[in-house]
Amino acid sequence: MSDESAILSIRGLDTSYGRIPMLRDVNIEVLRGQVCCVLGANGAGKTTLVKAILNIVKADKGSMSMSGEDISTWPTHRRVQAGIALSASAAGSFQKMSVDTNLKMGAYYIKDTKLLEERLAEIYRSFPVLRERLQQKAGTLSGGERTMLAIARAVINKPRLLILDEPSLGLAPIMVEEVFNIVKQLALQQMSILLVEQNAVKALSVASTGYVIQKGAIVFCGSVQDLAKSEFMDNPVM
Amino acid sequence: MKLKRTIPSIFKLPEPILIVLCNILIFGLAFAMLRLSYQYSLACVAITIAVLLLMDIKGYINHLFSLYIRHKKIAFFSALLCLLVLPILLAGLRYESHIAIMALIYAMVCLGLNFQMGSTNMVNFAPAAFMGIGAYSMAVVTVKLGASAWLGLGMALVLCAFAGLLIGLPTLRTKGYYLSLVTMALQLAFTQMIKNIASVGGPNGISDIKAFSIAGHSLYKSYTLPLLGKVAPHFFYLYFCSILLIVLIYVALRIYVSRYGLALNTIAQDEIAANCLGVDVSRQKLLAFVLGGLFCGVGGALYAGLTSFVGPNDFTFSRSLVYICMVILGGMDNPLGVVVGAFLLTVVMEKLREFADYAQLVYALLLVIILIVRPSGLIPKRVRDYCALFNRRPQQEIEEK
């Protein structure tokens, strides 16, 4: 795989919490315009990986590059401005602010009002649920609506790479269905997505390449067809 | 919309007239509080607080706010007119003018403190130290160096911004209680330092600070005016402070509705989330400290110009607590609420002088009662409406399409 086709490539990433090592020698490539999923059980290091990509958790070792450009030393906000967007429970919505403000906060560094209006209009079209709740405080939304808001807030920037950290977490089956419909739509629009999930069946239905992470190390890497046939899918915890 | 509250029938006046009446009422109340003897003045304060609380429960304050935003030109100019009339009413009254100026200066300091405390949720226990830096730079420039007061104000701004940066840097590494402790230590260190530096007067302070003057006319001097006769020396100084406060309120509101204000609010709510949306958290926090420092610096310089004396006792830890109380009472993260809080507490503090030794006790009791009844302040912050005050609202246009 060459660096040019990869929107994000991580090589030899190590992280630790204090003295306890978390990720060991993680290599991941997210190809342009594709959905890449990372599967793993609780405590496998999925969220740590996401945090390391955004430099919320500092990497001990390893390098990271975006479209061939080395971003290892960049602070979080610079990575975000370069086009990585995160939708995760770790970075929740601003509960005391209105949905409208939350969305506009997603477009924080779009300074052009006209562009902002266009983007907002697009978001209202693809997320009709949010449109009805614009003036409501984000804290009063239901779990599903909150996940929608988190995704909407992340895609309003048209990011080069969208990271979805467990979008199905704590949702009713019908809402999970709806969330993954949105992910499918985004995939159809050729958005590069890194989907980090526990719900393997759902994740495999939208992704094209897959990784499996166990105890902080990548144990499988390949296409979803191979992953679906592999022994990891028999594991009930996933 | 079903959420919209019904307005009582007395408010069915045309909106512009209602705004003008409101402004007259607000400034009339302010004048009454300043002018009346302590029993009536304190009664006025109590009634005002009660009415504000009642209005907020009924939702009228939000209604009033949106009314003011809709007719901001009328609201602004009628308020300006009232503010210009106020010094004329106070023309011959030295003591009352003095309280009014103090209230304006405190309001500036509180506006500065609000950037850190209200918007970003970093409780800064050192506003008095910032104010002290402003006042002392004014004193040193005018007395020791013999330069003009304007240069002193400029110096105060530069030094306070620098001090904000200096205090801001260590606080980037701390959060919550620890941050407050750091600022507390800085406040205590400042007072001790000033007491021990002989060249700034030590415990005796610096006296004979020059007042501001425009084209050779001092702003703090008793003039004889055509219609008003001999006015108190505070007359022009009150105008000067009012104009500066208007400018500062404008700046504060402008920042509040801007992306910077929004970024500060998001940092207060969830730092990681703010960072993940592209906010440079360190820079924004430093900005809050520098801005706060600037506002406090203006306040300090004006304070030095008013009293013509600065000493370490004017900028102690207990003063910092008073400013914090003003911000909490007025309503955190609401620039207008903060100004109201500063005014009310200044009046209460001054009028309580009648109680002599018991003043502090009564003051503390009042605060405790208010904090129990109303922890979020008299005019609490509203759910923010990005772009509402100064920009046009993009959302309405989209709905039209």
Side-chain angles (χ1 to χ4, degrees):
Chain A
M1 282 185 241
S2 71
D3 262 345
E4 282 71 50
S5 64
I7 192 87
L8 176 82
S9 86
I10 303 169
R11 295 202 186 285
L13 177 75
D14 279 20
T15 65
S16 53
Y17 287 121
R19 252 185 261 161
I20 306 160
M22 195 61 221
L23 297 181
R24 278 166 290 128
D25 194 27
V26 169
N27 294 294
I28 284 179
E29 294 231 313
V30 183
L31 299 182
R32 179 161 297 150
Q34 287 193 357
V35 181
C36 169
C37 71
V38 176
L39 304 176
N42 269 340
K46 301 189 300 291
T47 300
T48 310
L49 172 69
V50 169
K51 284 182 174 171
I53 292 173
L54 277 162
N55 205 14
I56 301 167
V57 169
K58 301 268 176 296
D60 297 337
K61 244 169 51 190
S63 69
M64 227 175 273
S65 61
M66 224 176 125
S67 310
E69 195 178 0
D70 186 45
I71 60 167
S72 307
T73 55
W74 291 12
T76 307
H77 61 92
R78 198 166 159 205
R79 294 185 190 197
V80 175
Q81 283 168 21
I84 303 180
L86 171 67
S87 152
S89 48
S93 49
F94 302 108
Q95 312 225 336
K96 290 178 197 159
M97 293 182 183
S98 65
V99 172
D100 182 51
T101 311
N102 262 287
L103 284 175
K104 283 174 186 160
M105 195 55 216
Y108 175 67
Y109 52 88
I110 297 181
K111 283 168 190 159
D112 182 0
T113 343
K114 208 153 196 187
L115 186 65
L116 178 65
E117 284 169 29
E118 280 168 26
R119 293 285 174 84
L120 278 172
E122 270 173 53
I123 289 293
Y124 296 152
R125 267 199 299 278
S126 17
F127 297 86
V129 198
L130 295 178
R131 198 189 168 149
E132 293 158 20
R133 308 228 180 270
L134 279 183
Q135 299 307 322
Q136 211 169 311
K137 278 189 195 180
T140 61
L141 294 182
S142 73
E145 287 164 345
R146 220 174 288 182
T147 308
M148 296 287 186
L149 175 59
I151 297 175
R153 198 178 64 175
V155 297
I156 194 167
N157 273 325
K158 299 225 170 165
R160 287 158 75 194
L161 171 67
L162 172 68
I163 303 176
L164 294 170
D165 186 10
E166 303 217 38
S168 70
L169 190 74
L171 294 186
I174 187 161
M175 282 316 291
V176 173
E177 201 68 37
E178 208 158 311
V179 166
F180 273 93
N181 278 338
I182 285 174
V183 177
K184 268 178 205 155
Q185 273 173 32
L186 291 172
L188 283 177
Q189 292 163 22
Q190 298 288 303
M191 189 175 275
S192 318
I193 300 174
L194 179 66
L195 175 65
V196 178
E197 254 299 346
Q198 252 190 79
N199 189 336
V201 181
K202 277 280 154 206
L204 291 184
S205 70
V206 290
S208 52
T209 49
Y211 292 83
V212 176
I213 189 166
Q214 263 178 9
K215 290 181 187 165
I218 298 286
V219 291
F220 177 88
C221 157
S223 70
V224 281
Q225 287 80 14
D226 294 344
L227 181 54
K229 279 179 250 156
S230 70
E231 81 265 32
F232 296 107
M233 292 308 288
D234 308 332
N235 189 343
V237 245
M238 270 175 42
Chain B
M1 286 216 304
K2 56 183 168 185
L3 272 176
K4 210 166 193 173
R5 316 237 174 203
T6 46
I7 323 155
S9 52
I10 35 163
F11 288 161
K12 283 278 160 67
L13 288 166
E15 287 176 346
I17 295 176
L18 187 63
I19 287 172
V20 173
L21 279 179
C22 256
N23 276 332
I24 292 174
L25 183 71
I26 290 166
F27 284 94
L29 259 175
F31 176 68
M33 281 178 209
L34 290 169
R35 183 75 184 87
L36 295 171
S37 63
Y38 77 97
Q39 304 96 328
Y40 300 114
S41 175
L42 289 178
C44 262
V45 173
I47 292 171
T48 309
I49 291 174
V51 168
L52 277 177
L53 289 182
L54 194 75
M55 279 175 68
D56 195 50
I57 291 165
K58 294 271 183 188
Y60 296 153
I61 286 195
N62 276 344
H63 182 77
L64 214 60
F65 259 115
S66 41
L67 208 66
Y68 270 65
I69 290 170
R70 233 179 297 151
H71 302 273
K72 53 191 165 198
K73 279 214 178 96
I74 296 168
F76 176 73
F77 284 111
S78 60
L80 190 68
L81 204 67
C82 289
L83 199 59
L84 292 179
V85 171
L86 199 62
I88 296 174
L89 294 174
L90 293 169
L93 308 162
R94 277 165 170 266
Y95 179 54
E96 284 79 359
S97 308
H98 183 79
I99 305 178
I101 295 175
M102 290 310 281
L104 296 178
I105 290 173
Y106 289 159
M108 293 174 195
V109 175
C110 290
L111 277 177
L113 181 59
N114 187 43
F115 284 119
Q116 297 133 27
M117 227 178 101
S119 303
T120 326
N121 216 359
M122 303 186 287
V123 186
N124 173 10
F125 278 93
F130 279 107
M131 195 181 164
I133 291 168
Y136 266 91
S137 29
M138 172 91 174
V140 169
V141 168
T142 58
V143 178
K144 306 275 174 187
L145 305 177
S148 85
W150 296 104
L151 204 67
L153 180 63
M155 194 66 187
L157 286 177
V158 172
L159 281 182
C160 281
F162 186 66
L165 206 63
L166 220 58
I167 292 183
L169 279 175
T171 53
L172 290 180
R173 301 197 159 270
T174 52
K175 270 180 208 162
Y177 303 119
Y178 301 101
L179 185 144
S180 297
L181 278 174
V182 171
T183 59
M184 235 181 254
L186 285 164
Q187 164 72 56
L188 295 171
F190 173 79
T191 324
Q192 284 305 319
M193 199 178 77
I194 290 293
K195 272 186 190 156
N196 286 302
I197 297 177
S199 58
V200 295
N204 298 324
I206 303 175
S207 46
D208 298 325
I209 296 165
K210 266 188 235 166
F212 288 93
S213 59
I214 294 172
H217 297 286
S218 172
L219 287 174
Y220 191 70
K221 197 174 150 194
S222 213
Y223 291 100
T224 311
L225 293 179
L227 279 171
L228 300 165
K230 202 169 164 58
V231 295
H234 304 79
F235 185 69
F236 285 105
Y237 207 67
L238 187 53
Y239 272 121
F240 179 53
C241 290
S242 308
I243 291 163
L244 273 182
L245 182 65
I246 291 173
V247 173
L248 290 188
I249 290 177
Y250 177 76
V251 173
L253 280 176
R254 195 88 220 202
I255 291 170
Y256 178 76
V257 296
S258 73
R259 297 167 68 244
Y260 294 109
L262 181 61
L264 291 181
N265 275 183
T266 54
I267 291 172
Q269 281 192 32
D270 191 337
E271 215 176 302
I272 291 177
N275 205 349
C276 285
L277 294 176
V279 178
D280 187 344
V281 174
S282 314
R283 210 183 73 187
Q284 296 294 341
K285 281 185 172 176
L286 279 182
L287 187 82
F289 270 100
V290 171
L291 276 172
L294 285 173
F295 278 53
C296 293
V298 176
L302 289 177
Y303 181 81
L306 172 70
T307 55
S308 83
F309 165 80
V310 290
N313 289 338
D314 294 341
F315 311 108
T316 54
F317 184 58
S318 56
R319 279 303 180 89
S320 277
L321 291 183
V322 170
Y323 303 135
I324 290 171
C325 287
M326 286 171 177
V327 173
I328 294 174
L329 172 81
M332 291 221 265
D333 205 15
N334 185 336
L336 295 175
V338 166
V339 172
V340 172
F343 180 80
L344 288 180
L345 273 197
T346 316
V347 169
V348 169
M349 259 190 319
E350 288 295 329
K351 297 289 177 181
L352 278 178
R353 279 177 200 272
E354 296 286 335
F355 291 87
D357 291 346
Y358 296 102
Q360 288 289 328
L361 184 69
V362 179
Y363 181 65
L365 262 178
L366 265 177
L367 276 180
V368 169
I369 292 170
I370 288 169
L371 286 183
I372 289 172
V373 177
R374 188 71 177 180
S376 56
L378 290 177
I379 310 178
K381 74 167 164 190
R382 307 154 67 227
V383 176
R384 38 174 331 134
D385 204 350
Y386 190 37
C387 312
L389 193 48
F390 293 104
N391 305 348
R392 65 211 165 94
R393 307 176 69 180
Q395 183 194 315
Q396 283 175 347
E397 288 176 13
I398 290 160
E399 266 161 26
E400 280 161 21
K401 278 176 200 170

